[in-house]
Amino acid sequence: MRKIIIASMAAAAFSLAACSDKAQQETSEAAGAVADDAAAAGDAAADAATDAADATADAAKDAGAAVEGAAKDAGNAVEGTVNAAGDAAAKAGDKIAAETKKAEANDKK
């Protein structure tokens, strides 16, 4: 009877050892899969961060170009206003000179 119990215990021990190897293999495979998933998630996050940085840089360039264009347009508008004011002053000066000559001519009569 004792031999039967010892043999049964030995068989159970071998079964547990085999089961343990199988469980270790499955655990190792699962850990590998989790590591692969984590690496893929990290790569995806890095790619997303790179894309966001590129988009931000592009937006900054576009904004800079828009500001530059607006400043140029504003400068052109100011230049146009100054030129128009100068032309108006010149015309007013010419008109004053003409009216002054007319007044002087009337005074001589």
Side-chain angles (χ1 to χ4, degrees), residues 23-67:
Q24 287 177 356
Q25 180 64 29
E26 289 175 357
T27 302
S28 176
E29 290 173 1
V34 169
D36 290 344
D37 290 347
D43 290 344
D47 290 344
T50 299
D51 292 346
D54 290 345
T56 301
D58 291 343
K61 286 178 188 175
D62 292 345
V67 168

Side-chain angles (χ1 to χ4, degrees), residues 7-28:
S8 296
M9 289 179 78
F14 286 125
S15 295
L16 288 176
C19 181
S20 178
D21 288 340
K22 183 178 178 185
Q24 287 177 356
Q25 180 64 29
E26 289 175 357
T27 302
S28 176

Side-chain angles (χ1 to χ4, degrees), residues 94-109:
D94 291 344
K95 185 159 182 140
I96 289 170
E99 292 298 321
T100 302
K101 283 184 183 179
K102 284 182 190 177
E104 289 173 350
N106 283 339
D107 287 342
K108 289 183 182 178
K109 287 185 186 181

